Structures are given as C-alpha cells and as structure tokens.
Amino acid sequence: MVPRKLSLLLAILLLALPVFGQQQAATKPKPRVIVLGVNGMELDMIRPLLLKGQMPNLASVIERGAYGKLRTVSAPNCPRVYSTLFTSTNPEENGVTGFVCRGHHCQHEHAQGRAVWSMLSKGGVTVGMANVPATFPVMPVNGYMISGMLTRGKNCEDGVLCAPKLSEVMGGDAVYPKSMQTELLKNVGDFYIDCERMPAAGDLKGHETELIDKWLGKVQLIREQQTKLFDYLLTEHPTEFTFLAQSCEDRVGHWLYPITPFNVGYNPSVNNVRLDAFPNQYIAFDKVLGSILKHVDETHI
C-alpha cells in the first residue's frame, strides 16, 4: 500500500430517486441508486483541490450530502475492503482475505450468497455493476455485471498488475449476460478492463520522463474508455441499483504518490518526474463523476 492511504475506496452514494413526473416523461427510467467506488482516494489530497475549485462535481455532491474519513479494515487491499462493503462482514468471516485465498485469486463469489447484489437480485431489484474489483469471473445477477480488477486474459495471467482488453479475457466470462459482450464491443469498443501497473523502476531507468508520460497517457485513455462505458450503461441499461468503480487513481498512487525523501520507497528518479500526477488523477476523475451525474436527478442527490 502507498503510505497514508486511508482506504482503498471512497464510496460516493448518489441517491438518485427520480421525480415521478420526470420518470414518466423520459423514454427510459433513470437509475434509482448509484454507488461509485474510487480506489485509493484520499481526503487530505482532494481537500485543497476542492478549495481551489478544481473538483466542482464532487464539491456539488458534498455540498448537498455528507462526507467524512472512512475507517478501513486491517491490512487493507481492494478485495478485503470491497468484500466488507458488499457483505457487512469482516474478511475473515466472508473469506475474501486478500488477493489470494486458499491458493486461488480471491473473488466475491466466495461471499456470493451474502453480497448486496445477490440479496437485491433475489428481492427483485435490478442490479448493474461495472469495473468492481474481484468480480471475475462474473456472477449471475438480476441485470448485468462487468468485471474489474483481477480479470485475467492474454499476457495477463494474474490480473493483479495488468489488465486485458475485453476481447482478450481468458479463463472465465467478463460480462454477464454473456450475450451483452457483443453489444459492448460494438457500441463502446474493445476497452481495457482496468488500469495496469506502471513499468518497474529498472525498466524506466534512463527513460523515466518519456515512459512515465507514455504510461500516464494510457491511464487517461483507459479512464476515457471507462467513462464511455459508464455513460452507455446508464443510458441504455438503467438499473435500480448501479455500482461503478475506478482503479486508475489507485494505480497512479501506488507508483507516483508524491512522497518525500524520508519515506520508505522514495526514488528521486521516479517520484520527482511528475509531482502533479497524483492530484491530477482526482481532477480527471471529477470529469468522470460529472458524466455520471448527468444521469442523476439533482433534486435527490
């Protein structure tokens, strides 16, 4: 984990209960609840950006809602935190204790019966999920599910430090229902499932600036692909409960967190290249949030 991270996610609950008259007039009903998870988002980092007016969409949500620092689980990582969020149980109880469980990659199928998507689906609530960590292979829901971090595929056998394109997924399904994959490839494109890690310091040596800039460019490309995916799903497949997640901010934080020389892991040839890279990820995320908010009834945020 990057030092000082409070949690591997910031859950922004956007209660989007559409006004009845608006719902009748619209060609498609709007989603009723949207949850957006952002891996590695740190309140101490975003506070100055909010004060400077650089995250207007998040500022508007905070102004009309509530916010605060979250207490996380011990030894936090994506699977542990998300499984706790989904099941209201601790990792030792739900079985998702890290990236590897009992010799295999941990997935939320371990907690399938108690996961929120299972309970909602059984209760007749429509569910939509996209890019949520540790949901590969995807599981049946009363709606759709598109996997996120830990999806395996071509040249990405573990799914932890890499991410395949949708067409390159191997070892399981990345989309439920499976027939939806053809639709996504046609209308959204062959998007990357998740952001991959930055090249190691040894691979960067002598070309740090060039390769880091190239990698950050790919991170932005993936964020744009995810934004297009989210917009398409919210437009064409609105559900009563929608959970979307992003991990690009976390990936940048792991390797370009603006740590100071006295911190463990400080590498001046890497950490001094793009000091604004980590804060800039939040500014870029705010634009993603703005795209999502277009699908939300503002009077019920």
Side-chain angles (χ1 to χ4, degrees):
M1 280 297 300
V2 174
R4 298 176 62 244
K5 282 194 178 177
L6 298 173
S7 172
L8 282 180
L9 69 90
L10 171 68
I12 305 170
L13 276 75
L14 309 176
L15 302 183
L17 304 175
V19 176
F20 183 68
Q22 290 179 328
Q23 191 169 355
Q24 281 185 321
T27 56
K28 291 180 180 292
K30 291 185 178 181
R32 300 179 70 180
V33 176
I34 300 177
V35 180
L36 176 59
V38 185
N39 291 2
M41 187 166 247
E42 185 174 330
L43 185 59
D44 290 342
M45 271 287 183
I46 66 175
R47 185 180 288 111
L49 301 177
L50 290 167
L51 293 175
K52 293 176 183 178
Q54 294 178 293
M55 299 186 70
N57 295 303
L58 181 58
S60 70
V61 173
I62 290 175
E63 183 180 355
R64 289 174 285 174
Y67 74 98
K69 292 185 177 182
L70 299 178
R71 184 176 64 181
T72 189
V73 297
S74 61
N77 57 53
C78 288
R80 286 174 67 91
V81 172
Y82 274 98
S83 64
T84 299
L85 173 67
F86 279 136
T87 65
S88 296
T89 59
N90 62 49
E92 289 68 32
E93 184 178 352
N94 62 51
V96 183
T97 56
F99 288 96
V100 177
C101 302
R102 297 186 292 275
H104 302 282
H105 286 293
C106 289
Q107 284 121 0
H108 291 299
E109 59 186 351
H110 293 289
Q112 170 74 339
R114 291 175 291 182
V116 63
W117 63 76
S118 294
M119 293 185 289
L120 291 174
S121 294
K122 290 176 182 177
V125 176
T126 55
V127 173
M129 298 177 62
N131 203 35
V132 178
T135 52
F136 177 80
V138 290
M139 294 147 274
V141 292
N142 182 27
Y144 67 82
M145 182 182 290
I146 302 165
S147 65
M149 183 188 297
L150 297 185
T151 300
R152 300 183 292 279
K154 182 180 178 181
N155 299 320
C156 185
E157 288 75 18
D158 62 6
V160 178
L161 301 177
C162 52
K165 290 183 178 180
L166 179 57
S167 66
E168 298 174 340
V169 172
M170 301 169 63
D173 291 334
V175 179
Y176 177 88
K178 192 171 183 178
S179 59
M180 190 178 182
Q181 179 164 329
T182 301
E183 175 191 348
L184 293 176
L185 288 169
K186 177 182 177 181
N187 295 286
V188 180
D190 195 10
F191 57 88
Y192 285 96
I193 296 291
D194 187 33
C195 282
E196 61 186 8
R197 65 156 290 167
M198 191 176 77
D203 297 326
L204 293 172
K205 194 170 184 180
H207 304 278
E208 287 84 358
T209 300
E210 174 190 353
L211 295 181
I212 288 175
D213 283 347
K214 182 179 179 180
W215 179 73
L216 287 172
K218 185 175 181 181
V219 168
Q220 181 57 29
L221 169 65
I222 295 171
R223 181 180 287 108
E224 291 169 358
Q225 291 177 341
Q226 291 174 350
T227 304
K228 185 177 181 180
L229 172 65
F230 296 164
D231 185 66
Y232 180 80
L233 293 171
L234 292 169
T235 301
E236 301 298 330
H237 296 277
T239 54
E240 294 169 291
F241 177 85
T242 307
F243 196 109
L244 309 173
Q246 280 200 221
S247 299
C248 291
E249 297 77 12
D250 176 71
R251 297 301 198 190
V252 175
H254 270 290
W255 286 280
L256 292 179
Y257 191 88
I259 56 177
T260 50
F262 51 79
N263 286 104
V264 174
Y266 176 78
N267 183 336
S269 65
V270 174
N271 293 102
N272 287 343
V273 171
R274 288 290 176 259
L275 295 176
D276 58 348
F278 196 38
N280 282 350
Q281 298 305 304
Y282 294 153
I283 296 173
F285 155 74
D286 195 72
K287 295 179 181 179
V288 180
L289 176 59
S291 176
I292 293 171
L293 289 176
K294 293 177 182 177
H295 299 272
V296 174
D297 181 352
E298 293 185 2
T299 62
H300 289 83
I301 291 180

